[in-house]
Amino acid sequence: MDAKSKAIISHLFGIGWLIALILNMNNKEEFASYYIRQNLGLILIGFALGIVGWIPFLGWLIGLVGGILLFVFWLMSLIWSIQDEMKPVPWLGDKFQEWFKSF
């Protein structure tokens, strides 16, 4: 499987990310690894927003706005992976590359 396919599969939430990670372990490709790291960060942000969402009112508001932003960032990342461009998601994308460099 080529790097672009792995990168696109990594955008299919948790199970797609795990499949892309396993496929990329045997034959690491930088393009696929880049988007695996980006999506791991987005998945973790999603979990954090889910936890924050349990806080009455303020948590709901943060969860709603954060969820919308998270969806937009995920969509941007998916489009960039389809276009063969390695662009980080806004704000934390560069940090995701640094934090998850072992992937």
Side-chain angles (χ1 to χ4, degrees):
M1 182 173 286
D2 67 329
K4 183 176 180 177
S5 298
K6 292 178 201 174
I8 292 169
I9 289 172
S10 75
H11 286 85
L12 302 177
F13 308 105
I15 192 72
W17 180 84
L18 187 59
I19 291 168
L21 178 66
I22 292 168
L23 290 173
N24 200 46
M25 282 182 151
N26 295 332
N27 183 19
K28 281 208 173 196
E29 298 178 87
E30 184 56 33
F31 187 76
S33 295
Y34 182 85
Y35 281 103
I36 287 170
R37 290 188 293 266
Q38 290 291 296
N39 283 295
L40 175 58
L42 293 175
I43 289 168
L44 294 175
I45 296 291
F47 280 125
L49 286 172
I51 292 168
V52 169
W54 284 92
I55 300 169
F57 188 68
L58 185 59
W60 300 335
L61 184 62
I62 292 169
L64 177 66
V65 172
I68 292 168
L69 281 174
L70 186 65
F71 175 74
V72 170
F73 293 166
W74 172 83
L75 190 59
M76 291 166 66
S77 178
L78 177 61
I79 291 168
W80 290 330
S81 69
I82 291 169
Q83 295 176 341
D84 285 328
E85 297 179 30
M86 288 176 53
K87 292 184 180 180
V89 294
W91 300 327
L92 289 174
D94 290 327
K95 289 294 184 188
F96 294 159
Q97 294 303 311
E98 180 183 327
W99 295 336
F100 309 125
K101 59 185 163 196
S102 64
F103 291 97

